[in-house]
Amino acid sequence: MSDLAKIPVTIVTGFLGAGKTTLIRHVLANARGRRLALVINEFGDVGVDGEILKNCGVESCTAENIVELANGCLCCTVADDFLPAIEGLLAREPRPDHIVIETSGLALPKPLVKAFDWPDVRAKLTVDGVIAVVDAAAVAEGRFADDEEKLAAQRAEDPSLDHDNPLEEVYEDQLLCADLILLNKTDLIDDAALERVRAEISAAAPRATRIVSTREGRLDVDVLLGLAAAAEDDLAARPSHHDDEEGHDHDDFETFVASLASVADPAAFSEKLAAIARDHDVLRMKGFVEVEGKPMRLLVQGVGARFSHHFDRPWAPEENRAGRLVVIGQKGFDRSGVEAALSA
């Protein structure tokens, strides 16, 4: 690539647990000779997604080409974190052919796209496309919709209630900025539910946006990379709930990291986490834990009360095997109750 050519950048957005990291692993495994660089942003102090990608073993993206930003959210820290990370990647030889940015599940993509309109950035990079990954099962279950009966009862008690649904706003902002929407995890719902979700998203979209159904993020990489959207040139076509705000914060959400003792039975532990998430309305849990008598590290991940687990790699000889779990919920969720249940 010529030093004067703009490097294309793909922004992967999507709510907590939608499958962004799985999608990027698929891209890495099918890069077809592209030199890829990754910028990974997480909401939580344990870099689970970065760990997964660094250990994927794909030659097209080595560990030194992965930049982790554990600052909570790129949409709030573009100048402080994103630009220095990009400058560092551009200074490397050889330069990457394509940069992929995985935002945190609570990030708004539009402020990040706006950064590509800055003169110094525009001269070097272009937003090839914004890809929104959607957990089709979560949408079908109504995770991002209001319980209208419950809301009506609350308003009857307090007519002055000013209601905003932060989950719905973040989810919709991610969709409204997208050039391509992936309905992921379609194997978890039936055809009727999938068509209902597709129709809901199509009706909400401000412009014609391609919607593709996927399982585990598997889609031809030439479809994912090479959209040539130049998203920085049509910001007005990407409306946001936060367009009139000077800044954006995440006070509607809280996160903490819990320390975990070793466990004896991975399946039983996963069921325990599912019960805790259900009882305390936890949005997302993910982390690593030691299994007694096993040389491998256990990766556990949950979206709401839906959990999965598998051994991802051997523990290193000098590695601290203390388990750590990122827990994310809406503001005011019962952190002490979650911590007590985890330690029980």
Side-chain angles (χ1 to χ4, degrees):
M1 177 181 291
S2 165
D3 287 343
L4 298 178
K6 290 186 179 182
I7 295 177
V9 177
T10 296
I11 297 173
V12 180
T13 186
F15 202 75
L16 301 165
K20 299 183 293 297
T21 304
T22 301
L23 170 70
I24 292 174
R25 285 194 70 173
H26 170 73
V27 170
L28 295 180
N30 298 275
R32 295 174 184 165
R34 297 177 179 90
R35 290 191 305 274
L36 300 177
L38 305 182
V39 178
I40 309 298
N41 188 220
E42 296 203 58
F43 196 79
D45 294 333
V46 179
V48 176
D49 296 345
E51 272 279 307
I52 292 171
L53 293 169
K54 285 180 179 178
N55 289 287
C56 67
V58 178
E59 292 183 2
S60 61
C61 187
T62 57
E64 58 266 23
N65 280 347
I66 299 176
V67 178
E68 291 184 84
L69 302 176
N71 55 22
C73 185
L74 268 179
C75 68
C76 309
T77 59
V78 168
D80 293 337
D81 296 293
F82 168 66
L83 294 181
I86 289 296
E87 289 170 357
L89 290 175
L90 294 180
R92 295 183 180 176
E93 291 294 342
R95 297 170 72 197
D97 296 324
H98 203 113
I99 298 173
V100 179
I101 301 174
E102 179 187 352
T103 69
S104 81
L106 300 176
L108 307 181
K110 187 171 181 178
L112 181 56
V113 175
K114 283 183 178 179
F116 288 85
D117 196 33
W118 297 357
D120 288 348
V121 179
R122 174 182 280 275
K124 302 172 184 175
L125 304 168
T126 182
V127 181
D128 181 67
V130 179
I131 299 175
V133 185
V134 175
D135 183 337
V139 178
E141 293 163 2
R143 166 60 79 174
F144 306 107
D146 286 318
D147 184 330
E148 295 298 338
E149 291 185 4
K150 181 179 179 181
L151 185 57
Q154 291 173 338
R155 284 190 172 132
E157 294 180 3
D158 182 3
S160 65
L161 180 66
D162 183 15
H163 174 77
D164 290 309
N165 183 336
L167 273 71
E168 184 178 33
E169 288 189 358
V170 172
Y171 163 70
E172 288 184 353
D173 270 23
Q174 292 168 347
L175 294 181
L176 296 176
C177 195
D179 299 292
L180 176 65
I181 297 172
L182 303 187
L183 294 184
N184 198 32
K185 305 187 180 183
T186 56
D187 52 316
L188 302 180
I189 58 176
D190 59 28
D191 291 342
L194 177 60
E195 288 308 308
R196 186 174 68 252
V197 170
R198 181 186 292 272
E200 289 175 3
I201 291 175
S202 296
R207 55 201 170 94
T209 304
R210 185 179 181 187
I211 302 173
V212 180
S213 299
T214 62
R215 298 184 180 188
E216 297 182 349
R218 293 193 295 266
L219 189 65
D220 192 318
V221 172
D222 289 336
V223 175
L224 298 167
L225 307 182
L227 296 175
E232 67 274 16
D233 290 336
D234 70 341
L235 288 165
R238 302 166 191 267
S240 165
H241 288 284
H242 304 272
D243 278 338
D244 296 328
E245 298 179 5
E246 291 185 5
H248 166 65
D249 59 49
H250 293 293
D251 289 345
D252 293 318
F253 304 94
E254 297 179 7
T255 183
F256 70 93
V257 177
S259 297
L260 301 173
S262 60
V263 302
D265 184 341
F269 179 65
S270 187
E271 291 175 3
K272 175 181 177 178
L273 293 181
I276 293 171
R278 186 168 47 248
D279 292 345
H280 298 280
D281 198 22
V282 175
L283 295 174
R284 178 76 162 137
M285 293 189 197
K286 58 181 179 178
F288 306 104
V289 66
E290 180 185 18
V291 178
E292 296 172 6
K294 299 293 184 180
M296 302 284 286
R297 185 179 69 174
L298 186 73
L299 167 65
V300 291
Q301 299 195 72
V303 180
R306 189 177 351 120
F307 272 78
S308 65
H309 64 273
H310 68 271
F311 292 102
D312 72 325
R313 66 163 174 81
W315 291 100
E318 72 287 354
E319 190 171 6
N320 182 357
R321 297 192 178 192
R324 303 185 76 200
L325 184 73
V326 177
V327 183
I328 304 173
Q330 286 190 260
K331 183 177 181 179
F333 82 114
D334 186 7
R335 171 175 174 169
S336 61
V338 173
E339 290 177 320
L342 287 172
S343 61

